[in-house]
Amino acid sequence: MKILVPVKRVLDYNVKVRVKSDQSGVDLANVKMAMNPFDEIAVEEAVRLKEKGTVTEIVAVSIGVAQAEAVLRTALAMGADRALLIQTDEDLEPLAVAKLLKAVAEEEKPDLIIMGKQAIDGDNNATGQILSTLLDWPQATFASKVEVSGSELLVTREVDGGLQTLGVALPAVVTTDLRLNEPRYASLPNIMKAKKKPLDTKAVADYGVDIAPRLSVLKVTEPAKRSAGIKVDSAEALVANLKTAGVL
Amino acid sequence: MAVLVIADHDGAHLRDTTLKTLSAAQGLSGDIDVLVYGEGVSAVAPQAASFAGVRKVLTAESPELKADIAEAVSALILSLADNYEAIAIPATASGKNFAPRIAAKLDVSLISDVIDVVSADTFTRPIYAGNALETIKTSDAKKVLTVRPTAFKAVTATGGSASVEAVSAPAVALKTRFVSDEKVTSDRPELGAAKVIVSGGRALGSAEEFTSVLEPLADKLGAAIGASRAAVDAGYAPNDYQVGQTGKVVAPDLYIAVGISGAIQHLAGMKDSKVIVAINKDPEAPIFQVADFGLVADYKTALPDLLKALG
Ligand SMILES: Cc1cc2nc3c(=O)[nH]c(=O)nc-3n(C[C@H](O)[C@H](O)[C@H](O)COP(=O)(O)OP(=O)(O)OC[C@H]3O[C@@H](n4cnc5c(N)ncnc54)[C@H](O)[C@@H]3O)c2cc1C
Ligand SMILES: Nc1ncnc2c1ncn2[C@@H]1O[C@H](COP(=O)(O)O)[C@@H](O)[C@H]1O
């Protein structure tokens, strides 16, 4: 079985977000970037399936700027076999990303695509579902458990009110939730090995898909700040304050 | 222009999320129809029909719709899509699961987590865990939106008398099989609709402690219980309790965070609450930067004291 794992380069989740004063976007100059945390979980799951012997090849793919090579190297260091960078300086919408990933899937013919449920920059939570639709493959989103069972994949999903288990026929698209696994850190020897693993670079134009944006960003602003309140020194004082505030 | 609102319900009642999505849809103006899907939805449809401004309520039933299989739900909505210029869906886990499929088939860009309808083609939505808000204008003729319920007031005006009409769910060759559900049942209010939420973090240390410490307080306040990611990951609370950027977004009148540090991913899910209380033994915990009332204390003594003080 072959797995394709799309990974996105995003602002590191620990970095404080700064909105540019001209309201044109978020300041990404000279800040730490990293693999989207949900995509790390996706890579980890693929590697675990490979370690169990069900998977023979893992291909990581990223669409983004030249520096996105770094997140692909991370994926390779975690255990992916090959990587593909579709280089572009444009910030693509999920629809365009999914169209490119569809073209990649048609070339690579994976049995399974595992990807993040959400990129923590745009917070769209859409690309996996769109890709599944475009490929006409079944989808199992927000996965907290994945099990191969013959030609079917059993996926436990985090849904409103609890959990749901679905059986999806392969090939399929799975998106990861936080509880699926805890991603490993790449060891130094594996980071060194990853430098020698194959990484292909292509251009968006190589795929001939329509990536024209549908959305124009009029402005990006900072949300209203919540002002810090007061410290109280006892439970009694807290209750008195809550009564005054009218919430008790 | 006509808008189709997809109802969120529990089989007997429309959820608050639906009433808030209706409110967002009113911002798009025009005729509003509501789709109620599932199985045995005859009790729910009239509730939707009773709201002022609802033109028509459509119902559709099948086992796949009840199981909320994304492929089935999106096929149903697509079969109706010709009649609408916009489709508004509550941004719940369920809505997020099927909404992008509709946008994909219509070849339009999904607009997720709308917090403000600026005009019929311009919307505001949070990005970067709510640390920035983007206002975007779409050039797509048809709009598919998910609506963040906490950003809108529930519609209240009733007196509507919309007709209720059954539509048939299109046949789809599913490659997905429903296996099982494992739902958490509770007599408490749902997180999304609760006026008061008591939320626990990693500090609680075990599932037993989480329950024995938070339940009495929640009982006293008629509150829902929430949790941080750390508490859910550690198995102290079910996944459905997670509040945050990638969990539930809540905005109750009162949010009490117990032993939660206040990471930005957690704040993203609760910082629009009316009054925030933080109980944490670390005076430097970031949660205090958003708390209206902070109590620097060990929860082990603070919570019994609080129960006593509440009488
Ligand atoms: C991709 C991604 C998505 C995420 N999504 C979410 C999300 O949706 N929701 C979410 O919550 N998190 C999310 N997180 C995790 C987030 O970054 C934090 O790790 C998490 O919120 C921490 O949980 P916590 O506050 O319970 O634990 P900690 O940060 O460990 O805080 C525990 C707090 O308890 C206090 N404490 C300890 N003992 C006591 C005591 N006896 N009495 C009182 N106080 C005490 C400590 O001072 C500390 O402040 C996400 C992270 C990532 C990377
Ligand atoms: N530019 C990209 N390159 C590779 N994968 C991506 C890209 N954008 C999104 N994805 C994948 O799609 C998932 C969901 O992203 P989104 O729909 O933007 O929240 C991410 O977790 C990635 O797995």
Side-chain angles (χ1 to χ4, degrees), chain A residues 5-9 36 38-39 42 61-64 92-94 97 101 114-130 175-176:
Chain A
V5 189
V7 297
K8 187 177 189 188
R9 175 181 183 262
N36 181 42
F38 287 100
D39 304 351
V61 52
S62 191
I63 300 161
L92 301 183
E93 290 164 20
V97 171
L101 292 175
I114 310 184
M115 54 206 287
K117 81 163 176 182
Q118 176 172 344
I120 60 163
D121 48 4
D123 283 333
N124 280 298
N125 192 336
T127 309
Q129 297 88 316
I130 298 172
T175 75
T176 62

Side-chain angles (χ1 to χ4, degrees), chain A residues 30-142:
Chain A
N30 305 316
V31 292
K32 188 172 173 219
M33 303 294 282
M35 191 191 302
N36 181 42
F38 287 100
D39 304 351
E40 287 182 353
I41 297 173
V43 174
E44 175 66 32
E45 197 61 19
V47 174
R48 288 189 189 186
L49 287 170
K50 191 174 174 195
E51 286 167 348
K52 278 189 201 144
T54 15
V55 170
T56 47
E57 189 181 28
I58 302 168
V59 182
V61 52
S62 191
I63 300 161
V65 293
Q67 296 91 317
E69 185 178 328
V71 301
L72 288 171
R73 290 287 171 206
T74 304
L76 293 169
M78 288 174 75
D81 299 291
R82 263 187 319 117
L84 170 65
L85 171 63
I86 304 178
Q87 203 177 317
T88 171
D89 288 337
E90 272 172 78
D91 203 2
L92 301 183
E93 290 164 20
L95 183 62
V97 171
K99 285 180 180 176
L100 285 166
L101 292 175
K102 175 182 187 240
V104 173
E106 282 165 351
E107 249 173 43
E108 295 281 349
K109 302 195 171 36
D111 303 280
L112 177 61
I113 301 176
I114 310 184
M115 54 206 287
K117 81 163 176 182
Q118 176 172 344
I120 60 163
D121 48 4
D123 283 333
N124 280 298
N125 192 336
T127 309
Q129 297 88 316
I130 298 172
L131 180 58
S132 144
T133 311
L134 298 181
L135 285 167
D136 195 22
W137 292 4
Q139 77 176 37
T141 55
F142 323 151

